[in-house]
Amino acid sequence: MNVDPAMAQSPRLANRPVRLSREVAVAVTSEIITGNFTPGTTLPPEPALCATFGVSRPVIREAIKLVEQNGLVRVRAGEGTTVLPREGWNLLDPDVLRIAMETEQSRTLRDDVINMRAELEISMMRRAAPKLTDAHYAAMDELLEVIDTSRDSDTLHNADREFHAVLYRASGNEIARTIVLLLIAETRSVSYLGVPTPEEFGVANRAHRRIVALLKQGRIDEAAAALGQHITTQWMVDRSHC
């Protein structure tokens, strides 16, 4: 790609503090989600936010734009920055979702995320089932063997993720795949869910093998039920005291 030399030398583009703005945006997002700024109230003015975070006005403005894009605030001249009700928040933004799941005491959102993942994965599996070839089954069988024999956490995690990804790709549903991958990534980052132990991966893999066996036999409804049970069982675990 050819880049305009003038643009390449632009101080505005070269020095734009994107990372710092995002960090401030995450902090402001957390303050809103945790209730320190309630709907209907206004955020402190720019000078106060600059002092709080120790950054310049351009950084604050960029950060507030990011928060506004996710539906947490509304910026209007003469009114300031108003905090908006939760129903307008973009819960598919990774930062918003992660912070909301971490801070919600009832964990209703966590349950909704898990149930949504199950519904989407079941839908993708049903769509993938008629398209599965010997190559797909061979790939899944190889991954199941890795999970059965490895004790390394990263290896187990990657093999487990790739097992499910075989079905995602075979379904051809890119939107569902993208949403599920987001849900998985942000759910895994929540502290009380933690990382499954090798023993938990072993339990999960027995479920994987049953799902594959049912798919090979053409018993799609039973495979769907087994997949839904597998997802909810694995992700409803609270590992905060492990």
Side-chain angles (χ1 to χ4, degrees), residues 3-241:
V3 178
D4 185 335
M7 181 177 291
Q9 297 299 318
S10 170
R12 178 175 177 274
L13 293 179
N15 299 322
R16 190 180 185 190
V18 175
R19 181 177 298 178
L20 189 54
S21 296
R22 182 179 178 277
E23 291 175 1
V24 173
V26 170
V28 173
T29 296
S30 181
E31 291 294 301
I32 294 172
I33 291 176
T34 55
N36 290 331
F37 294 117
T38 57
T41 62
T42 57
L43 296 185
E46 280 185 6
L49 291 174
C50 290
T52 297
F53 294 105
V55 297
S56 65
R57 285 195 174 194
V59 171
I60 291 297
R61 289 169 185 165
E62 184 69 21
I64 296 303
K65 285 180 183 177
L66 295 174
V67 178
E68 185 178 30
Q69 287 171 6
N70 284 326
L72 278 75
V73 298
R74 181 185 65 240
V75 181
R76 285 186 178 172
E79 295 182 9
T81 303
T82 305
V83 178
L84 298 178
R86 181 184 177 103
E87 54 263 28
W89 298 355
N90 175 20
L91 287 171
L92 285 181
D93 175 78
D95 293 322
V96 176
L97 179 60
R98 183 183 65 259
I99 295 168
M101 290 179 67
E102 284 278 12
T103 58
E104 187 178 62
Q105 296 299 315
S106 69
R107 299 189 181 171
T108 299
L109 179 60
R110 187 272 302 262
D111 295 346
D112 289 342
V113 166
I114 293 167
N115 289 329
M116 175 59 69
R117 179 193 167 184
E119 290 175 12
L120 288 174
E121 282 212 42
I122 288 170
S123 173
M124 282 190 286
M125 190 195 71
R126 287 185 179 278
R127 184 166 165 174
K131 306 175 185 178
L132 294 175
T133 64
D134 290 343
H136 288 118
Y137 285 119
M140 287 191 284
D141 288 340
E142 183 176 342
L143 291 164
L144 298 182
E145 187 63 25
V146 170
I147 298 173
D148 274 344
T149 57
S150 178
R151 301 290 294 178
D152 177 71
S153 179
D154 287 340
T155 300
L156 289 167
H157 170 72
N158 290 335
D160 179 87
R161 180 178 57 190
E162 181 58 25
F163 169 82
H164 289 268
V166 172
L167 295 174
Y168 304 161
R169 290 193 294 268
S171 77
N173 189 333
E174 294 183 343
I175 297 299
R177 175 176 59 84
T178 300
I179 294 174
V180 166
L181 290 175
L182 166 66
L183 297 180
I184 291 173
E186 297 314 315
T187 304
R188 285 190 186 279
S189 71
V190 175
S191 61
Y192 57 76
L193 287 173
V195 178
T197 64
E199 290 72 25
E200 287 177 303
F201 273 111
V203 172
N205 217 33
R206 289 195 286 276
H208 291 156
R209 289 189 179 280
R210 172 166 169 74
I211 292 165
V212 171
L214 290 169
L215 286 172
K216 288 179 178 178
Q217 296 168 28
R219 297 158 64 182
I220 309 304
D221 289 342
E222 292 174 73
L227 177 60
Q229 179 65 32
H230 160 62
I231 292 171
T232 54
T233 298
Q234 287 300 111
W235 287 91
M236 289 294 183
V237 175
D238 184 334
R239 301 183 179 92
S240 58
H241 305 295

